[in-house]
Amino acid sequence: MQLNKLFSAVMLFGMYSLLSAALFVSLDAVDVALTEASVGAGIATILMLGALSLTTNRQRQISWKRRLPAALVTVAIGVLLLYGLSDLPVFGDPAAPAFKHVYPRYAFESPHEIGIPNMVTSVLASYRGYDTLGEVTVIFTAAVAVATLMGHGSDTRSFSGEGMEHHLILRINAKLLLPMILLFALYVQFHGDYGPGGGFQAGVIFAAGFILYGLVFGMSTIREVAPPKIIRILCAAGLGLYLLVGLCGMLLGGNFLDYNVLAHHPVHGQHIGIMLIELGVGTTVAASMIGLFYAYAEHEHRQ
Amino acid sequence: MHFVTACAILITMVLTLYRGMRGPTLYDRLLAVNSFGTKTVLIIAVYGFFSGRPDFLDIAFVYALINFISTIAVLKFFEYGGLGGFNRDAGREHS
């Protein structure tokens, strides 16, 4: 399907992400579905609209001759992927490599090694702590890059964009929903050990609440609630907290990001470590997303 | 019972998808996307009870809360032509 109107493409992208989250649900990957739900349906659509406001609505017409190489590359990669697909193990095959290598340890040891019911959190935050540190660094770097290119929210209050307070129903609804969104974000953050969720999802939901506030009540109001300066500091502080927990493990005689030594009992140490790094992840993600929103919303002012 | 409900919701999802693709005006599409989100919330909840995993309700919650925000972002985009709300009437050209 080809769409020239970029806005329709953004809308369909939102629908696509809803559908793929439904797919993750039916594959029983609840954590991934939660991420897709909060990132794909919430933040991505908003940021794409922000990007759309800085560009035109229609794609430039390009002659088919110039499109041909791109089409050939796409088809070639598609064929290669299909070829690779034939080598994948059957869905649910117990002999698949995914169930062989580290899976037995994660699945059978983690309940008494880490001691939390949600296996995804123990893999993400403890066994694979390095990888998660990398992901948080990527998000932080992306936020810094956008801030460098487009400017971060300025600290002066010399301008003010209009809010949408004059729409009565919208204003009341936003006021009713905001506490729920923030509360739910905190629930996802701290209940991530027991149910689906964790720092990434919680950060995105938290940021979405702030963005709703900014959309409805105007940029000058949200900048008083969440000053860009503090957002910038928090963005780095979350990553710093993560690194600090890792270094504490080293100073107390363990490896980097080894939480066993954080408390007298290893399982207790794991609990403290996971809670702290999830807090760091959530802080960085939420601050980065709010910073991105500032960058997009204020850049259009400067143009 | 759950199965019949899920089928009914899926049919309405197809209907809203059709409206979203076809929708002559912007507001048809917008309403289609919004109600598609609502239907997703419902189908996730029904599927959760169907397969005996009530923790799927968390995802349904996220949708119910987040879907609202992106709809508002779209409306603001069309009223002001951007998210910051700096130039009124600029959004008209998009529709």
Side-chain angles (χ1 to χ4, degrees), chain A residues 27-119:
Chain A
L27 283 174
D28 215 0
V30 192
D31 281 80
V32 186
L34 195 62
T35 317
E36 182 64 44
S38 47
V39 176
I43 294 283
T45 312
I46 297 171
L47 291 182
M48 278 199 192
L49 283 176
L52 205 56
S53 67
L54 305 179
T55 173
T56 55
N57 191 25
R58 281 194 179 274
Q59 200 177 356
R60 203 190 308 144
Q61 292 295 326
I62 305 171
S63 70
W64 64 272
K65 280 178 195 160
R66 286 182 61 195
R67 282 185 185 170
L68 198 62
L72 284 179
V73 169
T74 314
V75 169
I77 290 176
V79 169
L80 275 177
L81 283 177
L82 282 177
Y83 175 69
L85 206 64
S86 63
D87 254 2
L88 282 180
V90 188
F91 179 72
D93 181 11
F99 295 116
K100 287 282 173 192
H101 181 44
V102 286
Y103 175 77
R105 178 158 179 209
Y106 292 164
F108 304 118
E109 304 287 316
S110 78
H112 46 95
E113 259 185 359
I114 314 287
I116 57 176
N118 187 1
M119 212 185 295

Coordinates of all heavy atoms in Angstrom, one line a residue, chain A residues 27-119:
Chain A
L27 N 1.0 -14.0 21.8 CA 2.3 -14.8 21.9 C 2.7 -15.0 23.4 O 3.7 -15.5 23.7 CB 3.4 -14.2 21.1 CG 3.4 -14.4 19.6 CD1 4.5 -13.7 18.9 CD2 3.5 -15.9 19.3
D28 N 1.9 -14.3 24.3 CA 2.1 -14.4 25.7 C 3.3 -13.6 26.2 O 3.9 -13.8 27.2 CB 2.3 -15.9 26.1 CG 1.7 -16.1 27.5 OD1 1.2 -15.1 28.1 OD2 1.8 -17.2 28.0
A29 N 3.8 -12.7 25.3 CA 4.9 -11.8 25.7 C 4.3 -10.5 26.3 O 4.2 -9.5 25.6 CB 5.8 -11.5 24.5
V30 N 3.8 -10.6 27.6 CA 3.1 -9.5 28.1 C 3.9 -8.2 28.3 O 3.5 -7.1 28.0 CB 2.5 -9.9 29.5 CG1 1.5 -8.9 29.9 CG2 1.8 -11.3 29.4
D31 N 5.2 -8.4 28.7 CA 6.1 -7.2 28.9 C 6.3 -6.5 27.6 O 6.2 -5.3 27.5 CB 7.4 -7.7 29.5 CG 7.3 -8.0 31.0 OD1 6.8 -9.1 31.3 OD2 7.7 -7.1 31.7
V32 N 6.5 -7.3 26.5 CA 6.8 -6.6 25.2 C 5.5 -5.9 24.8 O 5.6 -4.8 24.2 CB 7.2 -7.7 24.2 CG1 7.6 -7.0 22.9 CG2 8.3 -8.5 24.7
A33 N 4.3 -6.6 25.0 CA 3.1 -5.9 24.6 C 2.9 -4.6 25.3 O 2.4 -3.6 24.7 CB 1.9 -6.9 24.8
L34 N 3.2 -4.6 26.6 CA 3.1 -3.4 27.4 C 4.0 -2.3 26.8 O 3.6 -1.1 26.7 CB 3.4 -3.7 28.8 CG 3.0 -2.7 29.9 CD1 1.5 -2.6 29.9 CD2 3.5 -3.1 31.2
T35 N 5.2 -2.7 26.5 CA 6.1 -1.7 25.9 C 5.6 -1.1 24.6 O 5.5 0.1 24.3 CB 7.5 -2.3 25.6 OG1 7.9 -3.1 26.8 CG2 8.5 -1.2 25.4
E36 N 5.1 -2.1 23.7 CA 4.6 -1.7 22.4 C 3.4 -0.8 22.6 O 3.2 0.2 21.9 CB 4.2 -2.9 21.6 CG 3.7 -2.6 20.2 CD 4.7 -2.0 19.3 OE1 5.8 -2.4 19.4 OE2 4.3 -1.0 18.6
A37 N 2.5 -1.1 23.6 CA 1.3 -0.3 23.9 C 1.7 1.1 24.3 O 1.2 2.1 23.7 CB 0.5 -1.0 25.0
S38 N 2.7 1.2 25.2 CA 3.0 2.6 25.7 C 3.8 3.4 24.8 O 3.6 4.6 24.6 CB 3.6 2.5 27.1 OG 4.7 1.5 27.1
V39 N 4.8 2.7 24.1 CA 5.6 3.5 23.2 C 4.9 3.7 21.8 O 4.8 4.8 21.4 CB 7.0 2.7 23.0 CG1 7.8 3.5 22.0 CG2 7.7 2.6 24.3
G40 N 4.4 2.6 21.3 CA 3.9 2.7 19.9 C 2.6 3.5 19.8 O 2.5 4.4 19.0
A41 N 1.7 3.3 20.8 CA 0.4 4.0 20.7 C 0.5 5.4 21.2 O -0.2 6.3 20.8 CB -0.7 3.2 21.4
G42 N 1.4 5.6 22.2 CA 1.4 6.9 22.9 C 2.4 7.8 22.4 O 2.2 8.7 21.6
I43 N 3.7 7.5 22.7 CA 4.8 8.5 22.5 C 5.1 8.6 21.0 O 5.2 9.7 20.5 CB 6.0 8.1 23.3 CG1 5.8 8.2 24.8 CG2 7.2 8.9 22.9 CD1 5.8 9.6 25.3
A44 N 5.2 7.4 20.3 CA 5.6 7.5 18.9 C 4.7 8.3 18.0 O 5.2 9.1 17.2 CB 5.8 6.1 18.3
T45 N 3.4 8.2 18.2 CA 2.5 9.0 17.4 C 2.7 10.4 17.7 O 2.7 11.2 16.7 CB 1.0 8.6 17.8 OG1 0.9 7.1 17.8 CG2 0.0 9.1 16.8
I46 N 2.8 10.8 19.0 CA 2.9 12.2 19.3 C 4.2 12.8 18.7 O 4.2 13.9 18.1 CB 2.9 12.4 20.9 CG1 1.6 11.9 21.4 CG2 3.2 13.8 21.3 CD1 1.6 11.8 22.9
L47 N 5.3 12.0 18.8 CA 6.6 12.6 18.3 C 6.6 12.6 16.8 O 7.1 13.6 16.2 CB 7.8 11.7 18.8 CG 8.1 11.8 20.3 CD1 9.3 10.9 20.6 CD2 8.3 13.2 20.7
M48 N 5.9 11.7 16.2 CA 5.8 11.8 14.7 C 5.0 13.0 14.3 O 5.3 13.6 13.3 CB 5.2 10.5 14.2 CG 6.2 9.4 14.0 SD 5.5 8.2 12.9 CE 6.6 6.9 13.2
L49 N 3.9 13.3 15.0 CA 3.2 14.5 14.7 C 4.0 15.7 14.9 O 4.0 16.6 14.1 CB 1.9 14.6 15.6 CG 0.8 13.7 15.3 CD1 -0.3 13.8 16.4 CD2 0.2 14.0 14.0
G50 N 4.9 15.7 15.9 CA 5.8 16.8 16.1 C 6.7 16.9 14.9 O 7.0 18.1 14.5
A51 N 7.2 15.8 14.4 CA 8.1 15.8 13.3 C 7.4 16.3 12.0 O 7.9 17.1 11.2 CB 8.7 14.5 13.0
L52 N 6.1 15.9 11.9 CA 5.3 16.3 10.8 C 5.0 17.8 10.8 O 4.9 18.4 9.7 CB 3.9 15.5 10.9 CG 3.2 15.3 9.6 CD1 4.0 14.6 8.6 CD2 1.9 14.5 9.9
S53 N 4.9 18.4 12.0 CA 4.7 19.8 12.0 C 5.9 20.6 11.5 O 5.8 21.8 11.2 CB 4.3 20.3 13.4 OG 5.4 20.1 14.3
L54 N 7.1 20.0 11.5 CA 8.3 20.7 11.0 C 8.5 20.4 9.5 O 9.4 21.0 9.0 CB 9.5 20.2 11.8 CG 9.4 20.3 13.3 CD1 10.7 19.8 13.9 CD2 9.2 21.7 13.7
T55 N 7.7 19.6 8.9 CA 7.9 19.3 7.5 C 6.6 19.5 6.7 O 5.6 20.0 7.3 CB 8.5 17.9 7.3 OG1 8.5 17.6 5.9 CG2 7.7 16.9 8.0
T56 N 6.5 19.1 5.5 CA 5.3 19.2 4.8 C 4.5 18.0 4.9 O 4.9 17.0 5.4 CB 5.6 19.4 3.3 OG1 6.4 18.4 2.8 CG2 6.3 20.8 3.1
N57 N 3.2 18.1 4.4 CA 2.3 17.0 4.6 C 2.4 15.9 3.5 O 2.0 14.8 3.7 CB 0.9 17.5 4.7 CG -0.1 16.5 5.1 OD1 0.3 15.5 5.8 ND2 -1.3 16.6 4.8
R58 N 2.9 16.3 2.4 CA 3.0 15.4 1.2 C 4.4 15.0 0.9 O 5.3 15.8 1.0 CB 2.3 16.0 0.0 CG 0.8 16.0 0.1 CD 0.2 16.3 -1.3 NE -1.2 16.2 -1.1 CZ -1.9 15.1 -1.3 NH1 -1.3 14.0 -1.5 NH2 -3.2 15.1 -1.1
Q59 N 4.5 13.7 0.5 CA 5.8 13.2 0.1 C 6.1 13.8 -1.3 O 5.2 13.9 -2.1 CB 5.7 11.7 0.0 CG 7.0 11.0 0.1 CD 6.8 9.5 0.1 OE1 5.7 9.0 0.1 NE2 7.9 8.8 0.0
R60 N 7.3 14.1 -1.5 CA 7.7 14.7 -2.9 C 7.6 13.5 -3.9 O 7.9 12.4 -3.6 CB 9.1 15.2 -2.8 CG 9.3 16.2 -3.9 CD 10.8 16.6 -4.1 NE 11.4 17.0 -2.8 CZ 12.6 16.7 -2.4 NH1 13.4 16.0 -3.3 NH2 13.1 17.1 -1.3
Q61 N 7.1 13.9 -5.1 CA 7.0 12.9 -6.1 C 8.4 12.6 -6.7 O 9.1 13.5 -7.1 CB 6.0 13.4 -7.2 CG 4.6 13.5 -6.8 CD 4.0 12.2 -6.5 OE1 4.3 11.1 -7.1 NE2 3.1 12.1 -5.5
I62 N 8.7 11.3 -6.7 CA 10.0 10.9 -7.3 C 9.7 10.0 -8.4 O 8.8 9.1 -8.4 CB 10.8 10.2 -6.2 CG1 10.9 11.0 -4.9 CG2 12.2 9.8 -6.7 CD1 11.5 10.3 -3.8
S63 N 10.5 10.2 -9.5 CA 10.2 9.3 -10.7 C 10.6 7.9 -10.4 O 11.4 7.6 -9.5 CB 11.0 9.9 -11.9 OG 12.4 9.6 -11.6
W64 N 10.0 7.0 -11.1 CA 10.1 5.6 -10.8 C 11.6 5.1 -11.0 O 12.0 4.1 -10.5 CB 9.1 4.7 -11.5 CG 9.3 4.7 -13.0 CD1 8.7 5.6 -13.9 CD2 10.1 3.8 -13.8 NE1 9.1 5.4 -15.1 CE2 9.9 4.3 -15.1 CE3 10.9 2.7 -13.5 CZ2 10.6 3.6 -16.2 CZ3 11.5 2.1 -14.6 CH2 11.4 2.5 -15.9
K65 N 12.3 5.8 -11.9 CA 13.6 5.4 -12.2 C 14.5 5.6 -11.0 O 15.4 4.7 -10.8 CB 14.2 6.3 -13.4 CG 13.7 5.8 -14.8 CD 14.3 6.7 -15.8 CE 13.5 6.5 -17.1 NZ 13.7 7.6 -18.1
R66 N 14.3 6.6 -10.2 CA 15.1 6.8 -9.1 C 14.7 5.9 -7.9 O 15.4 5.7 -7.0 CB 15.0 8.3 -8.6 CG 15.8 9.2 -9.5 CD 15.8 10.6 -9.0 NE 16.3 10.8 -7.7 CZ 16.1 11.9 -7.0 NH1 15.4 12.8 -7.4 NH2 16.7 12.0 -5.8
R67 N 13.5 5.4 -8.0 CA 13.0 4.5 -7.0 C 13.5 3.1 -7.2 O 13.5 2.3 -6.3 CB 11.5 4.5 -6.9 CG 10.9 5.7 -6.3 CD 9.4 5.5 -6.2 NE 8.8 6.6 -5.6 CZ 7.5 6.8 -5.6 NH1 6.7 5.9 -6.2 NH2 6.9 7.9 -5.1
L68 N 13.8 2.8 -8.5 CA 14.1 1.4 -8.8 C 15.2 0.8 -7.9 O 15.0 -0.3 -7.5 CB 14.5 1.4 -10.3 CG 14.4 0.0 -10.9 CD1 13.0 -0.6 -10.9 CD2 14.9 0.0 -12.4
P69 N 16.4 1.4 -7.7 CA 17.4 0.8 -6.9 C 16.9 0.5 -5.5 O 17.2 -0.6 -5.0 CB 18.5 1.9 -6.8 CG 18.3 2.8 -8.0 CD 16.8 2.8 -8.3
A70 N 16.2 1.4 -4.9 CA 15.7 1.2 -3.6 C 14.7 -0.1 -3.6 O 14.8 -0.9 -2.7 CB 14.9 2.4 -3.1
A71 N 13.9 -0.1 -4.6 CA 13.0 -1.3 -4.7 C 13.7 -2.6 -4.8 O 13.4 -3.6 -4.2 CB 12.0 -1.1 -5.9
L72 N 14.8 -2.5 -5.6 CA 15.6 -3.8 -5.8 C 16.2 -4.2 -4.5 O 16.2 -5.4 -4.2 CB 16.7 -3.5 -6.9 CG 16.2 -3.5 -8.3 CD1 17.3 -3.2 -9.3 CD2 15.5 -4.9 -8.6
V73 N 16.8 -3.2 -3.8 CA 17.4 -3.6 -2.5 C 16.4 -4.2 -1.5 O 16.7 -5.2 -0.9 CB 18.1 -2.3 -1.9 CG1 18.5 -2.6 -0.5 CG2 19.3 -1.9 -2.7
T74 N 15.2 -3.5 -1.5 CA 14.2 -4.0 -0.6 C 13.8 -5.5 -0.9 O 13.7 -6.3 -0.1 CB 12.9 -3.1 -0.7 OG1 13.3 -1.8 -0.7 CG2 11.9 -3.4 0.4
V75 N 13.6 -5.7 -2.3 CA 13.2 -7.1 -2.7 C 14.3 -8.1 -2.3 O 14.1 -9.2 -1.8 CB 12.9 -7.1 -4.2 CG1 12.7 -8.5 -4.7 CG2 11.6 -6.3 -4.4
A76 N 15.6 -7.7 -2.6 CA 16.7 -8.6 -2.3 C 16.8 -8.9 -0.8 O 16.9 -10.1 -0.5 CB 18.0 -7.9 -2.7
I77 N 16.6 -7.9 0.0 CA 16.6 -8.2 1.5 C 15.5 -9.1 1.9 O 15.6 -10.0 2.7 CB 16.6 -6.8 2.3 CG1 18.0 -6.1 2.1 CG2 16.4 -7.1 3.8 CD1 18.1 -4.8 2.7
G78 N 14.3 -8.8 1.3 CA 13.1 -9.6 1.6 C 13.4 -11.1 1.2 O 13.1 -12.0 2.0
V79 N 14.0 -11.3 0.1 CA 14.3 -12.7 -0.4 C 15.2 -13.3 0.6 O 15.1 -14.5 1.0 CB 14.8 -12.7 -1.8 CG1 15.4 -14.1 -2.2 CG2 13.7 -12.3 -2.8
L80 N 16.3 -12.6 1.0 CA 17.3 -13.1 1.9 C 16.6 -13.5 3.2 O 16.9 -14.5 3.8 CB 18.4 -12.1 2.2 CG 19.5 -12.0 1.1 CD1 20.5 -10.9 1.5 CD2 20.2 -13.4 1.1
L81 N 15.7 -12.6 3.7 CA 15.1 -12.9 5.0 C 14.2 -14.1 4.9 O 14.2 -15.0 5.8 CB 14.2 -11.7 5.4 CG 15.0 -10.5 6.0 CD1 14.0 -9.4 6.3 CD2 15.7 -10.9 7.3
L82 N 13.5 -14.3 3.8 CA 12.7 -15.5 3.6 C 13.5 -16.7 3.5 O 13.2 -17.8 4.1 CB 11.9 -15.3 2.3 CG 10.6 -14.4 2.3 CD1 10.0 -14.3 1.0 CD2 9.6 -15.0 3.3
Y83 N 14.7 -16.6 2.9 CA 15.6 -17.7 2.9 C 16.1 -18.1 4.3 O 16.1 -19.2 4.6 CB 16.8 -17.3 2.0 CG 17.9 -18.4 1.9 CD1 17.7 -19.6 1.3 CD2 19.1 -18.2 2.6 CE1 18.7 -20.6 1.3 CE2 20.1 -19.1 2.6 CZ 19.9 -20.3 1.9 OH 20.8 -21.3 1.9
G84 N 16.4 -17.0 5.1 CA 16.8 -17.3 6.5 C 15.7 -17.9 7.3 O 15.9 -18.7 8.2
L85 N 14.4 -17.5 6.9 CA 13.3 -18.0 7.7 C 13.1 -19.5 7.6 O 12.7 -20.2 8.5 CB 12.0 -17.4 7.1 CG 10.8 -17.2 8.0 CD1 11.1 -16.3 9.1 CD2 9.7 -16.6 7.2
S86 N 13.6 -20.1 6.5 CA 13.4 -21.5 6.3 C 14.3 -22.3 7.3 O 14.0 -23.5 7.5 CB 13.8 -21.9 4.8 OG 15.1 -21.6 4.6
D87 N 15.3 -21.7 7.8 CA 16.2 -22.3 8.7 C 15.8 -22.2 10.2 O 16.3 -22.9 11.0 CB 17.7 -21.8 8.6 CG 18.6 -22.7 7.9 OD1 18.0 -23.8 7.4 OD2 19.7 -22.4 7.7
L88 N 14.8 -21.4 10.4 CA 14.4 -21.2 11.8 C 13.7 -22.4 12.3 O 13.0 -23.1 11.6 CB 13.4 -20.0 11.9 CG 14.0 -18.6 11.9 CD1 12.9 -17.6 12.0 CD2 15.0 -18.4 13.0
P89 N 13.8 -22.7 13.6 CA 13.1 -23.9 14.2 C 11.6 -23.6 14.2 O 11.1 -22.5 14.1 CB 13.6 -24.0 15.6 CG 14.2 -22.6 15.9 CD 14.6 -22.1 14.6
V90 N 10.8 -24.7 14.2 CA 9.4 -24.6 14.2 C 8.9 -23.9 15.5 O 9.6 -24.0 16.5 CB 8.8 -26.0 14.2 CG1 7.2 -25.9 14.0 CG2 9.4 -26.8 13.0
F91 N 7.8 -23.1 15.4 CA 7.3 -22.4 16.5 C 7.0 -23.3 17.7 O 6.2 -24.3 17.5 CB 6.1 -21.6 16.1 CG 5.5 -20.8 17.2 CD1 6.1 -19.6 17.7 CD2 4.3 -21.2 17.8 CE1 5.6 -18.9 18.7 CE2 3.8 -20.4 18.8 CZ 4.4 -19.3 19.3
G92 N 7.6 -23.1 18.8 CA 7.3 -23.9 20.0 C 8.1 -25.2 20.1 O 7.9 -26.0 20.9
D93 N 9.1 -25.3 19.2 CA 10.0 -26.5 19.2 C 10.9 -26.5 20.4 O 11.6 -25.5 20.7 CB 10.9 -26.4 17.9 CG 11.8 -27.6 17.8 OD1 11.6 -28.5 18.5 OD2 12.7 -27.6 16.9
P94 N 10.8 -27.5 21.2 CA 11.6 -27.6 22.5 C 13.1 -27.7 22.2 O 13.9 -27.3 23.1 CB 11.1 -28.8 23.2 CG 10.4 -29.6 22.2 CD 9.9 -28.7 21.1
A95 N 13.5 -28.1 21.0 CA 14.9 -28.2 20.7 C 15.5 -26.9 20.1 O 16.7 -26.9 19.7 CB 15.2 -29.4 19.8
A96 N 14.7 -25.9 20.1 CA 15.2 -24.6 19.5 C 16.3 -24.1 20.3 O 16.3 -24.2 21.5 CB 14.0 -23.6 19.4
P97 N 17.3 -23.4 19.7 CA 18.4 -22.8 20.5 C 18.0 -21.9 21.6 O 18.6 -21.8 22.6 CB 19.2 -22.0 19.4 CG 18.7 -22.5 18.1 CD 17.4 -23.1 18.3
A98 N 16.8 -21.2 21.4 CA 16.4 -20.3 22.5 C 16.1 -21.1 23.8 O 16.2 -20.5 24.9 CB 15.1 -19.6 22.0
F99 N 15.8 -22.3 23.7 CA 15.5 -23.1 24.9 C 16.7 -23.9 25.4 O 16.6 -24.7 26.4 CB 14.3 -24.1 24.7 CG 13.0 -23.3 24.4 CD1 12.4 -23.5 23.2 CD2 12.5 -22.5 25.3 CE1 11.3 -22.8 22.9 CE2 11.3 -21.9 25.1 CZ 10.7 -22.0 23.8
K100 N 17.8 -23.8 24.8 CA 19.0 -24.6 25.1 C 20.0 -23.9 26.0 O 20.4 -24.4 27.0 CB 19.6 -25.1 23.8 CG 18.8 -26.1 23.1 CD 19.0 -27.5 23.7 CE 18.1 -28.5 23.1 NZ 17.9 -29.7 23.8
H101 N 20.4 -22.7 25.5 CA 21.7 -22.2 25.9 C 21.6 -21.7 27.4 O 22.1 -22.4 28.3 CB 22.0 -21.0 25.0 CG 23.3 -20.3 25.3 ND1 24.5 -21.0 25.6 CD2 23.6 -19.0 25.3 CE1 25.4 -20.1 25.8 NE2 24.9 -18.9 25.7
V102 N 21.0 -20.5 27.6 CA 20.9 -20.0 29.0 C 19.5 -20.2 29.6 O 19.3 -19.9 30.7 CB 21.3 -18.5 29.0 CG1 22.8 -18.4 28.9 CG2 20.6 -17.7 28.0
Y103 N 18.6 -20.6 28.7 CA 17.2 -20.6 29.2 C 17.0 -21.5 30.5 O 16.3 -21.0 31.4 CB 16.3 -21.2 28.0 CG 14.9 -21.4 28.4 CD1 14.1 -20.3 28.5 CD2 14.4 -22.6 28.7 CE1 12.8 -20.4 28.9 CE2 13.1 -22.8 29.1 CZ 12.3 -21.7 29.2 OH 11.0 -21.9 29.6
P104 N 17.6 -22.7 30.6 CA 17.3 -23.5 31.8 C 17.7 -22.7 33.1 O 17.0 -22.7 34.0 CB 18.2 -24.7 31.6 CG 18.4 -24.8 30.2 CD 18.4 -23.4 29.6
R105 N 18.8 -22.0 33.0 CA 19.2 -21.2 34.2 C 18.2 -20.1 34.5 O 17.8 -20.0 35.7 CB 20.6 -20.7 34.0 CG 21.0 -19.9 35.2 CD 22.5 -19.7 35.4 NE 22.7 -18.9 36.6 CZ 23.7 -18.1 36.8 NH1 24.6 -18.0 35.9 NH2 23.8 -17.4 37.9
Y106 N 17.9 -19.3 33.5 CA 16.9 -18.2 33.7 C 15.6 -18.8 34.2 O 15.0 -18.2 35.1 CB 16.7 -17.5 32.4 CG 17.9 -16.7 31.9 CD1 17.9 -16.2 30.6 CD2 18.9 -16.4 32.8 CE1 19.0 -15.5 30.2 CE2 20.0 -15.7 32.3 CZ 20.0 -15.3 31.0 OH 21.1 -14.6 30.5
A107 N 15.1 -19.9 33.6 CA 13.8 -20.3 34.0 C 13.7 -21.1 35.3 O 12.7 -20.9 36.0 CB 13.3 -21.2 32.8
F108 N 14.8 -21.8 35.6 CA 14.6 -22.7 36.8 C 15.4 -22.2 38.0 O 15.1 -22.5 39.1 CB 15.1 -24.1 36.4 CG 14.3 -24.7 35.2 CD1 14.9 -25.0 34.1 CD2 12.9 -24.8 35.3 CE1 14.2 -25.5 33.0 CE2 12.2 -25.3 34.2 CZ 12.8 -25.6 33.1
E109 N 16.5 -21.4 37.8 CA 17.3 -20.9 38.9 C 16.8 -19.6 39.4 O 17.0 -19.3 40.6 CB 18.7 -20.8 38.5 CG 19.4 -22.1 38.0 CD 19.6 -23.1 39.1 OE1 20.1 -22.7 40.1 OE2 19.3 -24.3 38.8
S110 N 16.2 -18.7 38.5 CA 15.9 -17.4 38.9 C 14.9 -17.2 40.1 O 15.1 -16.3 40.9 CB 15.4 -16.5 37.7 OG 14.1 -16.8 37.4
P111 N 13.9 -18.1 40.2 CA 13.1 -17.9 41.4 C 13.8 -17.9 42.7 O 13.5 -17.2 43.6 CB 12.1 -19.1 41.3 CG 12.0 -19.4 39.9 CD 13.4 -19.2 39.4
H112 N 14.9 -18.8 42.9 CA 15.6 -18.7 44.2 C 16.9 -17.9 44.1 O 17.5 -17.6 45.1 CB 15.7 -20.1 44.8 CG 16.2 -21.1 43.9 ND1 17.5 -21.5 43.7 CD2 15.5 -21.9 43.1 CE1 17.6 -22.4 42.9 NE2 16.4 -22.7 42.4
E113 N 17.4 -17.6 42.9 CA 18.6 -16.8 42.8 C 18.2 -15.3 42.9 O 18.9 -14.6 43.6 CB 19.3 -17.0 41.4 CG 20.5 -17.9 41.5 CD 21.2 -18.0 40.2 OE1 20.8 -17.4 39.2 OE2 22.2 -18.7 40.2
I114 N 17.2 -14.9 42.2 CA 16.7 -13.5 42.2 C 15.5 -13.3 43.2 O 15.4 -12.3 43.9 CB 16.3 -13.0 40.8 CG1 17.4 -13.5 39.8 CG2 16.1 -11.5 40.8 CD1 18.6 -12.8 39.8
G115 N 14.6 -14.3 43.1 CA 13.5 -14.3 44.1 C 12.4 -13.4 43.7 O 11.6 -13.0 44.6
I116 N 12.2 -13.0 42.4 CA 11.0 -12.3 42.1 C 10.3 -13.1 41.0 O 10.8 -13.8 40.2 CB 11.4 -10.9 41.5 CG1 12.3 -10.9 40.3 CG2 12.0 -10.0 42.6 CD1 12.6 -9.6 39.8
P117 N 8.9 -13.0 41.0 CA 8.1 -13.8 40.2 C 8.2 -13.5 38.7 O 8.1 -14.5 37.9 CB 6.7 -13.5 40.7 CG 6.8 -12.8 42.0 CD 8.1 -12.1 41.9
N118 N 8.4 -12.2 38.3 CA 8.4 -11.9 36.9 C 9.8 -12.2 36.3 O 10.8 -11.5 36.6 CB 8.0 -10.5 36.7 CG 7.9 -10.2 35.2 OD1 8.1 -11.0 34.3 ND2 7.6 -8.9 34.9
M119 N 9.9 -13.3 35.5 CA 11.2 -13.8 35.0 C 11.8 -12.7 34.1 O 13.0 -12.6 34.0 CB 11.0 -15.1 34.3 CG 12.1 -16.0 34.4 SD 11.7 -17.4 33.3 CE 10.3 -18.1 34.2

